[in-house]
mmCIF file of all heavy atoms in Angstrom:
data_model
loop_
_atom_site.group_PDB
_atom_site.id
_atom_site.type_symbol
_atom_site.label_atom_id
_atom_site.label_comp_id
_atom_site.label_asym_id
_atom_site.label_seq_id
_atom_site.Cartn_x
_atom_site.Cartn_y
_atom_site.Cartn_z
ATOM 1 N N TYR A 319 -41.278 74.623 -48.408
ATOM 2 C CA TYR A 319 -40.732 75.161 -47.159
ATOM 3 C C TYR A 319 -41.088 76.630 -46.992
ATOM 4 O O TYR A 319 -41.341 77.101 -45.873
ATOM 5 C CB TYR A 319 -39.210 74.959 -47.115
ATOM 6 C CG TYR A 319 -38.802 73.659 -46.446
ATOM 7 C CD1 TYR A 319 -38.114 72.664 -47.154
ATOM 8 C CD2 TYR A 319 -39.078 73.414 -45.107
ATOM 9 C CE1 TYR A 319 -37.733 71.475 -46.549
ATOM 10 C CE2 TYR A 319 -38.706 72.232 -44.495
ATOM 11 C CZ TYR A 319 -38.042 71.266 -45.217
ATOM 12 O OH TYR A 319 -37.680 70.083 -44.603
ATOM 13 N N GLN A 320 -41.109 77.384 -48.084
ATOM 14 C CA GLN A 320 -41.492 78.795 -47.993
ATOM 15 C C GLN A 320 -42.956 78.934 -47.576
ATOM 16 O O GLN A 320 -43.317 79.838 -46.819
ATOM 17 C CB GLN A 320 -41.238 79.513 -49.331
ATOM 18 C CG GLN A 320 -39.774 79.519 -49.773
ATOM 19 C CD GLN A 320 -38.825 79.818 -48.626
ATOM 20 O OE1 GLN A 320 -38.859 80.901 -48.039
ATOM 21 N NE2 GLN A 320 -37.953 78.862 -48.306
ATOM 22 N N ALA A 322 -44.410 76.822 -45.658
ATOM 23 C CA ALA A 322 -44.408 76.489 -44.229
ATOM 24 C C ALA A 322 -44.010 77.697 -43.393
ATOM 25 O O ALA A 322 -44.614 77.984 -42.343
ATOM 26 C CB ALA A 322 -43.461 75.324 -43.960
ATOM 27 N N ILE A 323 -42.988 78.447 -43.859
ATOM 28 C CA ILE A 323 -42.524 79.626 -43.115
ATOM 29 C C ILE A 323 -43.627 80.671 -43.050
ATOM 30 O O ILE A 323 -43.858 81.311 -42.004
ATOM 31 C CB ILE A 323 -41.241 80.177 -43.761
ATOM 32 C CG1 ILE A 323 -40.080 79.208 -43.522
ATOM 33 C CG2 ILE A 323 -40.894 81.553 -43.196
ATOM 34 C CD1 ILE A 323 -38.828 79.536 -44.300
ATOM 35 N N LYS A 324 -44.351 80.869 -44.144
ATOM 36 C CA LYS A 324 -45.458 81.842 -44.164
ATOM 37 C C LYS A 324 -46.571 81.412 -43.207
ATOM 38 O O LYS A 324 -47.331 82.258 -42.734
ATOM 39 C CB LYS A 324 -46.021 81.964 -45.578
ATOM 40 C CG LYS A 324 -45.081 82.682 -46.545
ATOM 41 C CD LYS A 324 -45.666 82.709 -47.951
ATOM 42 C CE LYS A 324 -44.692 83.382 -48.931
ATOM 43 N NZ LYS A 324 -45.210 83.375 -50.321
ATOM 44 N N GLY A 326 -45.987 79.952 -40.296
ATOM 45 C CA GLY A 326 -45.524 79.955 -38.900
ATOM 46 C C GLY A 326 -44.356 79.040 -38.591
ATOM 47 O O GLY A 326 -43.950 78.921 -37.425
ATOM 48 N N PHE A 327 -43.795 78.370 -39.587
ATOM 49 C CA PHE A 327 -42.647 77.494 -39.346
ATOM 50 C C PHE A 327 -41.442 78.340 -38.946
ATOM 51 O O PHE A 327 -41.075 79.286 -39.638
ATOM 52 C CB PHE A 327 -42.334 76.691 -40.612
ATOM 53 C CG PHE A 327 -41.262 75.647 -40.429
ATOM 54 C CD1 PHE A 327 -41.271 74.783 -39.345
ATOM 55 C CD2 PHE A 327 -40.239 75.510 -41.367
ATOM 56 C CE1 PHE A 327 -40.290 73.812 -39.192
ATOM 57 C CE2 PHE A 327 -39.252 74.541 -41.226
ATOM 58 C CZ PHE A 327 -39.286 73.689 -40.121
ATOM 59 N N ASN A 328 -40.829 77.994 -37.830
ATOM 60 C CA ASN A 328 -39.721 78.766 -37.284
ATOM 61 C C ASN A 328 -38.518 78.724 -38.226
ATOM 62 O O ASN A 328 -38.134 77.667 -38.728
ATOM 63 C CB ASN A 328 -39.324 78.176 -35.920
ATOM 64 C CG ASN A 328 -38.230 78.961 -35.245
ATOM 65 O OD1 ASN A 328 -37.071 78.754 -35.537
ATOM 66 N ND2 ASN A 328 -38.602 79.853 -34.342
ATOM 67 N N GLU A 329 -37.901 79.893 -38.456
ATOM 68 C CA GLU A 329 -36.782 79.966 -39.404
ATOM 69 C C GLU A 329 -35.561 79.197 -38.907
ATOM 70 O O GLU A 329 -34.800 78.653 -39.710
ATOM 71 C CB GLU A 329 -36.428 81.429 -39.679
ATOM 72 C CG GLU A 329 -37.503 82.160 -40.469
ATOM 73 C CD GLU A 329 -37.064 83.555 -40.891
ATOM 74 O OE1 GLU A 329 -35.903 83.927 -40.631
ATOM 75 O OE2 GLU A 329 -37.884 84.284 -41.488
ATOM 76 N N ASP A 330 -35.361 79.155 -37.601
ATOM 77 C CA ASP A 330 -34.246 78.354 -37.062
ATOM 78 C C ASP A 330 -34.476 76.868 -37.321
ATOM 79 O O ASP A 330 -33.545 76.128 -37.674
ATOM 80 C CB ASP A 330 -34.086 78.593 -35.561
ATOM 81 C CG ASP A 330 -33.541 79.987 -35.262
ATOM 82 O OD1 ASP A 330 -32.915 80.585 -36.162
ATOM 83 O OD2 ASP A 330 -33.740 80.469 -34.134
ATOM 84 N N SER A 331 -35.725 76.446 -37.153
ATOM 85 C CA SER A 331 -36.055 75.045 -37.433
ATOM 86 C C SER A 331 -35.898 74.752 -38.920
ATOM 87 O O SER A 331 -35.453 73.657 -39.306
ATOM 88 C CB SER A 331 -37.490 74.738 -36.999
ATOM 89 O OG SER A 331 -37.647 74.921 -35.609
ATOM 90 N N PHE A 332 -36.254 75.735 -39.757
ATOM 91 C CA PHE A 332 -36.071 75.588 -41.202
ATOM 92 C C PHE A 332 -34.589 75.361 -41.522
ATOM 93 O O PHE A 332 -34.238 74.471 -42.292
ATOM 94 C CB PHE A 332 -36.589 76.833 -41.917
ATOM 95 C CG PHE A 332 -36.182 76.924 -43.366
ATOM 96 C CD1 PHE A 332 -36.648 76.004 -44.293
ATOM 97 C CD2 PHE A 332 -35.329 77.926 -43.816
ATOM 98 C CE1 PHE A 332 -36.273 76.074 -45.630
ATOM 99 C CE2 PHE A 332 -34.951 78.005 -45.140
ATOM 100 C CZ PHE A 332 -35.423 77.078 -46.053
ATOM 101 N N GLU A 333 -33.720 76.169 -40.901
ATOM 102 C CA GLU A 333 -32.288 76.016 -41.158
ATOM 103 C C GLU A 333 -31.792 74.636 -40.744
ATOM 104 O O GLU A 333 -31.015 73.993 -41.454
ATOM 105 C CB GLU A 333 -31.486 77.088 -40.427
ATOM 106 C CG GLU A 333 -29.991 76.968 -40.690
ATOM 107 C CD GLU A 333 -29.147 77.953 -39.900
ATOM 108 O OE1 GLU A 333 -29.723 78.808 -39.196
ATOM 109 O OE2 GLU A 333 -27.912 77.859 -39.976
ATOM 110 N N GLN A 334 -32.250 74.171 -39.581
ATOM 111 C CA GLN A 334 -31.823 72.858 -39.096
ATOM 112 C C GLN A 334 -32.241 71.743 -40.051
ATOM 113 O O GLN A 334 -31.453 70.846 -40.367
ATOM 114 C CB GLN A 334 -32.407 72.597 -37.705
ATOM 115 C CG GLN A 334 -31.801 73.474 -36.605
ATOM 116 C CD GLN A 334 -32.486 73.263 -35.272
ATOM 117 O OE1 GLN A 334 -33.260 72.314 -35.097
ATOM 118 N NE2 GLN A 334 -32.240 74.151 -34.320
ATOM 119 N N GLU A 335 -33.486 71.812 -40.528
ATOM 120 C CA GLU A 335 -33.969 70.777 -41.443
ATOM 121 C C GLU A 335 -33.229 70.820 -42.769
ATOM 122 O O GLU A 335 -32.807 69.782 -43.297
ATOM 123 C CB GLU A 335 -35.481 70.932 -41.676
ATOM 124 C CG GLU A 335 -36.323 70.424 -40.539
ATOM 125 C CD GLU A 335 -37.705 69.983 -41.003
ATOM 126 O OE1 GLU A 335 -37.889 69.698 -42.203
ATOM 127 O OE2 GLU A 335 -38.601 69.934 -40.152
ATOM 128 N N ILE A 336 -33.072 72.027 -43.315
ATOM 129 C CA ILE A 336 -32.392 72.159 -44.602
ATOM 130 C C ILE A 336 -30.939 71.699 -44.498
ATOM 131 O O ILE A 336 -30.415 71.020 -45.383
ATOM 132 C CB ILE A 336 -32.451 73.627 -45.099
ATOM 133 C CG1 ILE A 336 -33.881 73.976 -45.509
ATOM 134 C CG2 ILE A 336 -31.500 73.862 -46.249
ATOM 135 C CD1 ILE A 336 -34.372 73.205 -46.712
ATOM 136 N N TRP A 360 -31.340 83.057 -48.744
ATOM 137 C CA TRP A 360 -31.002 82.288 -47.553
ATOM 138 C C TRP A 360 -29.511 81.951 -47.610
ATOM 139 O O TRP A 360 -29.098 80.981 -48.241
ATOM 140 C CB TRP A 360 -31.812 80.995 -47.475
ATOM 141 C CG TRP A 360 -33.292 81.230 -47.406
ATOM 142 C CD1 TRP A 360 -34.165 81.236 -48.443
ATOM 143 C CD2 TRP A 360 -34.047 81.516 -46.234
ATOM 144 N NE1 TRP A 360 -35.432 81.500 -48.016
ATOM 145 C CE2 TRP A 360 -35.403 81.682 -46.641
ATOM 146 C CE3 TRP A 360 -33.738 81.673 -44.890
ATOM 147 C CZ2 TRP A 360 -36.424 81.977 -45.759
ATOM 148 C CZ3 TRP A 360 -34.762 81.951 -44.005
ATOM 149 C CH2 TRP A 360 -36.079 82.112 -44.426
ATOM 150 N N TYR A 362 -26.291 80.907 -45.521
ATOM 151 C CA TYR A 362 -25.824 80.354 -44.246
ATOM 152 C C TYR A 362 -24.330 80.114 -44.299
ATOM 153 O O TYR A 362 -23.765 79.849 -45.381
ATOM 154 C CB TYR A 362 -26.553 79.046 -43.931
ATOM 155 C CG TYR A 362 -28.056 79.178 -43.816
ATOM 156 C CD1 TYR A 362 -28.883 78.575 -44.754
ATOM 157 C CD2 TYR A 362 -28.625 79.924 -42.794
ATOM 158 C CE1 TYR A 362 -30.259 78.679 -44.663
ATOM 159 C CE2 TYR A 362 -30.001 80.058 -42.695
ATOM 160 C CZ TYR A 362 -30.828 79.430 -43.615
ATOM 161 O OH TYR A 362 -32.190 79.571 -43.523
#
Side-chain angles (χ1 to χ4, degrees):
Y319 268 117
Q320 299 317 297
I323 290 171
K324 289 177 182 178
F327 186 47
N328 183 277
E329 291 187 4
D330 289 338
S331 298
F332 167 66
E333 181 184 355
Q334 290 175 12
E335 283 207 21
I336 290 294
W360 299 95
Y362 300 113

